[in-house]
Amino acid sequence: MDIFDFSEGREGYYGEYGGVFLPEILHATIEELLACFRQCKADPTFWREYVELLQNYSGRPTPVTHLANLSQQLGGAQIYVKRDDLNHTGSHKINNVMGQGLLCKRLGKRRVIAETGAGQHGFATATMAARFGFDCKIYMGAVDVARQRPNVFWMENLGAEVIAVQDGQRTLKDAINECMRDWVANMDDTHYVLGTACGPHPFPEMVSWFQSIIGLEAREQLLGLTGKLPDRVYACVGGGSNAIGIFQGFLSDDNVELIGCEAGGLGAGSNLHAARLAYNDASVGVAQGFKTYFLQNDQGNMNETHSIAAGLDYIGVNPIFSYLWEQGKVRFEAATDEQVKDALRLCMRTEGLIPALESTHAFVTAIDEAPSMGRDEIILINQSGRGDKDIFTIADALDDQKWKDFICAKADQYRQEKN
Ligand SMILES: *Cc1c(COP(=O)(O)O)cnc(C)c1O
């Protein structure tokens, strides 16, 4: 199935989701970006240059690892992991950022801006800008700047200017709005490096294209290792870029089931989660340049979201997933913070793997389902990132008293906000 064949539908729409909802003034810039992207996508030398860059700079292809211990302990399916955690800067984000860097060069622009929540995308963008010699400004909510010091430190030392956004709740959503304002004011020389498969067309398609390298590699590697395709593929879903990346290796295979794992936070009904599709809590709306399912109230105001994994803590979802979910092509599940803690412990102890808290959401669902599958069946999990960045969060989470204090504080905060 080619989800990017728009010959029968409207360009940039997946069913009724996606589109471009931007102020008039940005249309020329978006058109210019779209034209350049179409050229790059049609040009095999561009893709070759992209693959070589990732091979020589970021360590691709990342391996696929068989988890023999965990598979045996669970007693069901054989579990394999795609190791995008082994990329430079620690996650799949570098795939998208390097691709957009090459594209920016073709556009003839010399300045890049980006939004960031936890700082991972800002860190990757600052790295890319240093490598390509672009000026770089990163917008980050002031609350996030305070709680993500290590990433701010690296961004600044890589030569980027980090702007602490003081508007609204001073988190990711406000950073995106501020970044858009910068783009409007500086579109002649500036490219906006959006960090996930969301936002106005062509970003969902473009980010998906760069991340498809995960799925293309994984398909070949798994066939080489086992002679078979996986029965199920699991990936965590924040904005949805690593998941659509690995899923694209298997979208045309009817016998491969695709499972997206969202942030269940404190659980269904708690209102403190980011499980837009799995908990069926979201509704269709237009925000931040595109149409998709958002966690919002009846007046269309965006909800607070929560996850132990900052990278999954977002109100909206990839418009392609809204469509594939309705089509029954991708199943969505959620993992709670508590389950993530337990799965992380298990991964560390049985396999010596330290997945990022985001990626651990995919492990939760896979670990839950593997025992009921046959021993000759195959599971593939995308390990989108490594857990080094999470050291302080994990240390607190694995300390039972600190964890209880954290949960109580969150619940108090929620009650106060409601009153
Ligand atoms: C940012 C991030 C995510 C979430 O983003 P997607 O666009 O949904 O992939 C997942 N895993 C890691 C390690 C991240 O840094």
Side-chain angles (χ1 to χ4, degrees):
M1 118 187 251
D2 182 3
I3 38 178
F4 303 114
D5 176 2
F6 301 121
S7 55
E8 302 206 338
R10 286 178 295 169
E11 157 122 24
Y13 277 87
Y14 313 91
E16 64 167 303
Y17 309 107
V20 182
F21 297 85
L22 286 177
E24 191 64 35
I25 189 169
L26 276 170
H27 281 195
T29 296
I30 278 280
E31 284 301 321
E32 175 193 35
L33 175 63
L34 179 59
C36 182
F37 169 58
R38 285 276 168 255
Q39 243 181 31
C40 293
K41 202 170 174 180
D43 177 0
T45 63
F46 181 88
W47 184 257
R48 214 171 304 133
E49 190 185 355
Y50 168 69
V51 172
E52 272 169 24
L53 177 62
L54 286 175
Q55 284 176 346
N56 300 324
Y57 189 68
S58 188
R60 300 209 77 89
T62 57
V64 166
T65 306
H66 180 210
L67 305 193
N69 301 336
L70 187 61
S71 305
Q72 174 152 24
Q73 185 168 330
L74 296 173
Q78 294 304 311
I79 301 175
Y80 289 79
V81 176
K82 176 63 172 166
R83 302 292 306 282
D84 254 55
D85 58 308
L86 295 178
N87 274 302
H88 180 40
T89 70
S91 80
H92 69 292
K93 288 204 166 70
I94 199 86
N95 305 330
N96 167 44
V97 154
M98 283 296 170
Q100 291 201 43
L102 288 175
L103 200 127
C104 182
K105 225 168 62 175
R106 282 215 182 182
L107 279 167
K109 300 194 170 177
R110 43 167 310 285
R111 178 174 179 267
V112 291
I113 54 173
E115 84 294 346
T116 197
Q120 289 301 107
H121 174 58
F123 176 29
T125 303
T127 303
M128 177 275 280
R131 170 80 182 183
F132 281 96
F134 298 141
D135 286 341
C136 180
K137 200 179 256 191
I138 303 293
Y139 290 91
M140 192 169 181
V143 169
D144 293 326
V145 169
R147 65 185 172 191
Q148 306 287 343
R149 288 311 304 176
N151 279 330
V152 174
F153 173 85
W154 288 127
M155 285 185 265
E156 288 178 343
N157 279 282
L158 286 159
E161 188 185 345
V162 179
I163 305 291
V165 176
Q166 303 289 354
D167 290 345
Q169 289 164 339
R170 297 177 291 153
T171 57
L172 177 60
K173 167 169 63 59
D174 313 295
I176 294 175
N177 293 337
E178 198 58 36
C179 200
M180 282 281 180
R181 276 194 277 276
D182 181 318
W183 204 23
V184 168
N186 300 291
M187 41 193 189
D188 288 344
D189 71 343
T190 299
H191 173 61
Y192 177 10
V193 185
L194 212 144
T196 187
C198 289
H201 181 65
F203 282 108
E205 179 184 355
M206 188 164 78
V207 176
S208 300
W209 187 51
F210 291 131
Q211 296 294 1
S212 71
I213 194 166
I214 306 172
L216 295 176
E217 284 177 8
R219 182 191 176 87
E220 289 309 307
Q221 289 167 316
L222 201 64
L223 281 171
L225 284 167
T226 69
K228 292 197 284 191
L229 290 175
D231 295 279
R232 298 184 195 175
V233 182
Y234 298 83
C236 66
V237 180
S241 72
N242 86 88
I244 193 67
I246 195 160
F247 290 171
Q248 279 171 103
F250 309 95
L251 268 181
S252 302
D253 302 302
D254 288 337
N255 295 326
V256 179
E257 193 185 7
L258 307 172
I259 300 107
C261 308
E262 294 180 291
L266 301 193
S270 70
N271 258 332
L272 286 168
H273 63 78
R276 297 130 311 189
L277 302 179
Y279 288 166
N280 230 324
D281 246 3
S283 51
V284 177
V286 171
Q288 304 195 320
F290 71 121
K291 183 175 180 183
T292 194
Y293 280 91
F294 288 100
L295 286 167
Q296 55 190 333
N297 65 17
D298 298 340
Q299 285 86 48
N301 294 321
M302 296 301 152
N303 290 353
E304 267 281 5
T305 52
H306 160 75
S307 169
I308 190 173
L312 303 186
D313 202 346
Y314 181 57
I315 46 171
V317 68
N318 181 343
I320 304 163
F321 280 160
S322 292
Y323 173 66
L324 293 177
W325 177 60
E326 284 187 353
Q327 297 289 307
K329 183 71 196 168
V330 180
R331 168 158 69 90
F332 282 85
E333 304 290 346
T336 64
D337 291 352
E338 199 69 39
Q339 292 173 307
V340 165
K341 263 173 57 178
D342 294 341
L344 180 60
R345 235 190 226 123
L346 185 63
C347 287
M348 292 196 287
R349 293 297 170 89
T350 57
E351 294 288 354
L353 286 182
I354 310 176
L357 285 167
E358 288 82 3
S359 321
T360 308
H361 285 69
F363 280 85
V364 167
T365 313
I367 287 168
D368 188 44
E369 298 183 1
S372 61
M373 295 172 68
R375 278 170 197 259
D376 56 345
E377 289 192 282
I378 293 174
I379 276 177
L380 178 64
I381 303 172
N382 195 29
Q383 186 169 335
S384 53
R386 55 179 177 248
D388 307 32
K389 67 180 174 61
D390 300 320
I391 182 165
F392 299 115
T393 313
I394 293 173
D396 282 354
L398 296 183
D399 178 322
D400 289 333
Q401 189 53 51
K402 277 198 180 153
W403 181 250
K404 273 184 210 131
D405 295 346
F406 167 76
I407 296 285
C408 293
K410 267 285 168 193
D412 280 349
Q413 181 194 338
Y414 177 58
R415 272 193 295 275
Q416 275 168 15
E417 270 156 19
K418 246 180 127 180
N419 292 335

